[in-house]
Amino acid sequence: MNGFNLIDGQWIPVIKRGRRLEVGIRKALVDAHTIDGLALDDPLEAVAVLRQVLLPVVLDVFGAPRTDEEWSQRWEAGCFDRIIRKDRAEDEEGIESYLIRQAARFHLFHPTAPFAQVAGLRTAKDETKPVSLLVPRLASGNNVPLFSSRTENDPPSLTPAAAARALLAAHCWDTAAIKTGAADDPKVKTGKTMGNPTGPLGQFGIVLPLGETLFHTLMLSIPVLRHGLRQKDRPQWRSESSATSRWETRAPEGLLDLLTWQSRRIRLVPEADPTAVEDVSVRRVVLTAGDRLTGSVHALEPHTAWRQVDKPKADEPPVRPVRHQPGRSAWRGLEALLTTTPLSSDKVFAPTALSQLARLRDDGYVPDDLPLQVLTVGVKYGTQSAVIDEVMADEIPLPVTALARDSAVRETVLAVAAQAESLRIAANRLGDDLREAAGATDKLPWDKGQRLGEILIHSFNPTVHRLLAGLQQHPEDAKRAELAWRILARRLAWEVVDPVLSAAGPETFLGRDPGEPFGARLAGAEMSFRRTLNDVLGKDEDNRLALAAA
C-alpha cells in the first residue's frame, strides 16, 4: 500500500483567494504566492505542517540566504518559482524538480520508507494503540478530555490526510513519560522506555510571524545564515538515522535537522475502508521512543523567545525558552516579542525570526506597513507531562515599526501592555478589599474563582487588537493611539468595576471591623481604585484635551 502521496494528495488545508481547500506539498509551495495562509483548525497541526514540511522543503531546495540583500532578492521575487539558488555549484534546482527527486520519501504508507515513520516498527508483543494517541483532543489512556464522547476502546477512524497531520504534530508535541518499547531497541527495559521528554516544541512558546500570503509567511521564517546551512544538515526524509527503531540522544546537526526532529518512532497502521474517499483509513498506530535533544538549541531555533538565566548551573545553558501562560493573551507578552536588539540589562529577548525582521525593516528591505500577524502556540502539560491539559493559541497584528528599539510605536504598545497589567492588579486588589470588607478572612487564591482583574484584562483584548492593527497602517499616530487607549481603558475599567461596587452588600460600608480606622471598607476600596486609574492612565479630562489637540 504505497499511497497516500503527500506531494500531490490533498491534506494541507489552506485559504486561497478567500476559498478553503486542501492541497499537497507541491501546490502549497508552487502556488504559495496566491495562498492566503494555512487553514488548519488545530494550531498544533498548523505549526507542525509549516515547520516539519513546508519550511524545510524550501530551505533544502534553495538553502539559506547568506546576506540580507540575498534574502531581499528572494522576497522581491514574489514566488518560489523565480528564486535561484546561488550557493552551490550543481545544477540549479526548483521546487518541482526537488519533489520529483524526493518523491519516494513522501508516501505516507510506503512499505519500506513511510514518511516520518519507521517501516515495520513493532513491539515485542506486536501491540498497537488507538490512533487517538496522536491527537491530544481525543481520548487515549489517561489523557481523556472532559467532554469527549469517545473512549480508548472506540478509537476514531482518521483519513490519510488527518493521520498525516496528526503524525507531524506528535513529533512536535507528544506527551512525556513511559513509552512502549520497540522490539529491537536495545535500550528497552521490561518492554518499556523510561524518561521520555515531551516533543521538542512542548518545551517552547512558539511565535510564528505570518505574512499576507503563504509565500511571505515562509520567507519571514527563513533565516539569513552567513555561512549557509551546515554541511551535514538535512531534513528527516533525507536522513537514514531516523528510519530505524533505534533512537539516540544528540544535538541537532543544524536547522533542517531541528525543524524535522523525529522525537518519536511511529508507524501508522492503515486498513482498507471502502467507505473512505481514499479507500483506506487509520485507526491504529505503533508509537515508541524517539530521538532526544541535548544541549541548547538557542543558536538554531527561530520561533521562540528566550529568557536569561541569572545564575545557570555548570551543565545548564545561559538562556531558557519563554513558554506561553494559559489564559494570557499574546499582546500581554509584547516585551518578549519586541526585544529584538537586547541590551545587557534585558532579561528576555525576541525570537530570531522577529529580530531578523527588525533588522530587515531598518535596512529598508521590508516596508513599515507590512501586514504582519503573529501566531503564538504553546502547550500546558499535566501530571508529569504525561497528559495535555491545555493548548494555548492566539494571533495578534504586530506593527513592524514596533520591532525597532527607538520607535514611538514600540514605546506606545509596551506602555499599553504595562498599563493594562497595572489595571489588572488594581482590579484584583479591589476585589480582595471588597471580600475583606464583607468579612472574608483570606484572599481569593490566584487559581480559584474568577478574579476581577482577569475579567478586566480580557475585556481589553478587542481594543488592543484594534490599536495594533491601526498602528500597522498609521505608525505616525502612536501618540494619539495611546491617548485614545487611555480614554477607552478607563471606560472599560468602570464597565467591569461598577457592577461589582453596586452589588456590594451593606456590611462592606463599615467593614469587618468598624472600630479600625484603616480597615477595609467599600469607600476606601473604591478610592484606592480611582487613585490607581489616575496614576496609570492620567486624568481623563487631560487625556481628552491632549487628544483633541494632537
Side-chain angles (χ1 to χ4, degrees):
M1 195 179 295
N2 292 345
F4 178 75
N5 177 4
L6 297 177
I7 291 177
D8 294 309
Q10 298 176 349
W11 69 283
I12 304 175
V14 299
I15 298 292
K16 185 174 182 179
R17 294 172 178 164
R19 186 167 63 94
R20 190 182 190 278
L21 66 156
E22 292 189 357
V23 298
I25 299 171
R26 188 194 312 275
K27 279 192 173 296
L29 295 178
V30 172
D31 297 341
H33 57 293
T34 67
I35 293 174
D36 302 333
L38 299 181
L40 289 97
D41 297 327
D42 187 333
L44 303 188
E45 292 182 357
V47 171
V49 169
L50 192 142
R51 282 180 51 112
Q52 283 247 336
V53 179
L54 299 182
L55 182 58
V57 167
V58 172
L59 280 168
D60 206 27
V61 172
F62 300 111
R66 300 188 178 220
T67 64
D68 289 357
E69 183 180 6
E70 184 182 344
W71 185 96
S72 175
Q73 289 171 352
R74 297 187 186 187
W75 178 269
E76 293 298 326
C79 70
F80 290 120
D81 273 351
R82 297 176 186 166
I83 295 176
I84 298 175
R85 179 169 180 170
K86 300 178 179 179
D87 65 345
R88 64 181 187 181
E90 307 101 280
D91 293 338
E92 294 170 356
E93 182 175 52
I95 298 290
E96 293 273 11
S97 55
Y98 176 89
L99 293 177
I100 291 173
R101 188 162 58 86
Q102 299 294 331
R105 301 308 301 267
F106 284 92
H107 288 275
L108 192 63
F109 305 126
H110 195 284
T112 60
F115 180 80
Q117 301 165 73
V118 175
L121 182 69
R122 53 180 288 272
T123 68
K125 297 181 180 180
D126 285 324
E127 302 165 303
T128 62
K129 296 286 187 180
V131 75
S132 49
L133 189 67
L134 304 180
V135 187
R137 63 180 179 275
L138 299 179
S140 176
N142 294 326
N143 190 24
V144 182
L146 183 60
F147 298 109
S148 175
S149 60
R150 288 189 177 273
T151 66
E152 186 173 358
N153 294 326
D154 178 31
S157 176
L158 297 186
T159 65
R165 297 190 297 265
L167 167 70
L168 295 172
H171 279 301
C172 295
W173 312 93
D174 189 38
T175 56
I178 300 171
K179 302 295 176 184
T180 303
D184 57 350
D185 181 359
K187 301 176 185 177
V188 169
K189 296 182 179 179
T190 64
K192 305 289 183 183
T193 306
M194 309 293 188
N196 297 282
T198 66
L201 300 196
Q203 305 301 316
F204 301 153
I206 293 299
V207 178
L208 275 176
L210 307 178
E212 194 170 13
T213 66
L214 181 57
F215 170 80
H216 292 129
T217 293
L218 290 167
M219 282 299 305
L220 290 172
S221 287
I222 291 178
V224 175
L225 302 177
R226 181 179 177 185
H227 300 290
L229 296 171
R230 298 177 185 176
Q231 187 174 4
K232 294 183 179 180
D233 191 20
R234 61 194 62 198
Q236 55 86 5
W237 52 86
R238 293 206 295 117
S239 171
E240 298 301 327
S241 63
S242 61
T244 72
S245 61
R246 302 194 175 197
W247 55 272
E248 55 185 329
T249 299
R250 62 181 179 85
E253 296 286 355
L255 179 58
L256 291 172
D257 189 20
L258 177 65
L259 291 173
T260 61
W261 191 262
Q262 301 292 279
S263 68
R264 299 292 181 262
R265 298 293 188 258
I266 300 173
R267 177 172 66 88
L268 300 175
V269 182
E271 57 186 54
D273 185 351
T275 65
V277 175
E278 294 89 2
D279 294 325
V280 64
S281 62
V282 179
R283 292 172 61 89
R284 311 292 296 183
V285 64
V286 179
L287 186 149
T288 65
D291 293 337
R292 303 179 184 182
L293 280 170
T294 184
S296 174
V297 297
H298 164 245
L300 293 173
E301 173 54 48
H303 297 134
T304 301
W306 299 88
R307 186 184 308 277
Q308 287 186 348
V309 180
D310 289 333
K311 297 180 180 179
K313 299 177 182 178
D315 58 344
E316 185 180 30
V319 293
R320 293 175 184 162
V322 175
R323 301 179 67 176
H324 304 313
Q325 299 179 26
R328 186 181 175 95
S329 301
W331 61 266
R332 295 175 61 191
L334 279 170
E335 181 184 6
L337 303 186
L338 300 183
T339 310
T340 54
T341 51
L343 303 175
S344 58
S345 58
D346 289 325
K347 296 298 182 182
V348 296
F349 44 96
T352 301
L354 293 185
S355 296
Q356 175 175 289
L357 181 56
R359 186 180 73 245
L360 292 167
R361 177 260 170 192
D362 289 345
D363 293 340
Y365 291 126
V366 294
D368 285 350
D369 60 353
L370 180 75
L372 176 68
Q373 298 282 123
V374 170
L375 173 67
T376 60
V377 180
V379 164
K380 178 188 176 186
Y381 294 96
T383 307
Q384 296 182 333
S385 296
V387 296
I388 290 180
D389 278 353
E390 190 172 348
V391 175
M392 297 89 71
D394 194 13
E395 186 175 329
I396 59 170
L398 186 64
V400 175
T401 50
L403 298 174
R405 178 173 284 275
D406 59 350
S407 75
V409 173
R410 181 179 190 270
E411 293 178 5
T412 293
V413 297
L414 289 180
V416 166
Q419 291 162 14
E421 184 65 16
S422 296
L423 296 181
R424 182 191 70 85
I425 294 171
N428 281 340
R429 186 167 59 245
L430 172 64
D432 290 339
D433 290 345
L434 293 178
R435 279 175 50 83
E436 184 179 350
T441 58
D442 56 345
K443 296 181 179 179
L444 185 69
W446 68 269
D447 59 344
K448 303 293 183 183
Q450 194 166 26
R451 295 174 66 83
L452 193 59
E454 309 313 316
I455 298 173
L456 173 59
I457 205 159
H458 180 74
S459 74
F460 290 154
N461 284 343
T463 300
V464 176
H465 278 238
R466 287 197 302 271
L467 180 143
L468 293 171
L471 289 175
Q472 278 187 324
Q473 299 179 4
H474 302 285
E476 71 279 2
D477 288 342
K479 184 59 178 178
R480 296 184 73 252
E482 183 178 352
L483 291 170
W485 148 259
R486 288 171 180 254
I487 295 168
L488 189 53
R490 182 186 299 272
R491 192 188 81 192
L492 292 172
W494 282 117
E495 286 178 358
V496 170
V497 167
D498 253 342
V500 176
L501 294 174
S502 299
E507 69 278 6
T508 62
F509 284 86
L510 293 178
R512 184 177 61 192
D513 188 357
E516 173 58 49
F518 299 106
R521 294 179 177 81
L522 175 61
E526 181 179 351
M527 185 180 300
S528 177
F529 185 74
R530 287 182 181 274
R531 187 184 307 115
T532 300
L533 278 181
N534 287 333
D535 290 344
V536 172
L537 301 176
K539 294 183 178 180
D540 192 44
E541 57 270 26
D542 292 344
N543 290 329
R544 292 181 182 276
L545 288 172
L547 182 60

